[in-house]
Amino acid sequence: MSQEPFFMETDLFCFPPAKEPKLLGPIVLAYIGDAIYEVFIRQYVISMANQRPNHLHRLSTQYVSARAQAKNLQRLMPLLTEEEADIVKRGRNAKSGTSAKNADILEYRHSTAFECLLGYLYYTKQLERLQYIMMQTIEPNQQDAK
């Protein structure tokens, strides 16, 4: 497995949001945050030795589930800046109009808050911070593997 995480110093895609990131709704931020985290986790599991598709999917779902994201947010809270904590609060309190399939409402709201934070960091181009936050979600599992 690669020791140094893959990091892009330029925009990944060329479509900026229609509004300033601070003006985007928390559900919109969570929508892009979900996609960013999914790609991050897929790259992470593909960096491992066992690349059978079924194995990749099962491993990925351990990270991208509402329950896992809620747990990660709880662990990350002491590391967040005041601005990030405010974004998390906006995401947690947002009414999404959908419900979780495999999580309770509290886990679902915390998962949305986590995704909202990632979306905010992505759209405000705080890419080093975004990578740091996402790396924190896999660090405990990397240590368990050693």
Side-chain angles (χ1 to χ4, degrees), residues 3-128:
Q3 299 292 47
E4 190 64 30
F6 178 72
F7 184 70
M8 296 187 73
E9 294 185 24
T10 60
D11 291 340
L12 183 58
F13 304 108
C14 60
F15 302 104
K19 298 179 184 178
E20 291 293 316
K22 291 181 190 233
L23 300 178
L24 291 172
I27 298 303
V28 173
L29 292 172
Y31 180 72
I32 193 68
D34 175 53
I36 296 298
Y37 192 60
E38 178 79 27
V39 170
F40 172 78
I41 292 301
R42 286 183 183 210
Q43 285 186 336
Y44 172 62
V45 299
I46 288 170
S47 75
M48 297 177 176
N50 187 348
Q51 295 191 351
R52 292 185 327 259
N54 187 40
H55 177 76
L56 294 174
H57 177 71
R58 280 187 285 118
L59 190 55
S60 292
T61 57
Q62 292 176 13
Y63 294 94
V64 298
S65 70
R67 178 169 286 130
Q69 290 177 342
K71 277 185 182 178
N72 280 323
L73 180 62
Q74 186 177 29
R75 273 189 2 344
L76 289 166
M77 286 305 292
L79 305 175
L80 300 183
T81 66
E82 189 174 324
E83 177 186 34
E84 292 166 347
D86 286 344
I87 294 297
V88 164
K89 187 176 179 181
R90 281 181 57 204
R92 187 190 68 224
N93 294 335
K95 304 285 187 277
S96 72
T98 61
S99 60
K101 292 177 252 177
N102 298 312
D104 65 39
I105 190 67
L106 193 58
E107 286 173 332
Y108 186 69
R109 287 185 177 235
H110 284 98
S111 174
T112 301
F114 173 75
E115 293 167 348
C116 181
L117 173 62
L118 300 184
Y120 179 77
L121 293 173
Y122 175 73
Y123 271 145
T124 56
K125 299 184 185 225
Q126 298 180 58
L127 301 181
E128 286 184 27

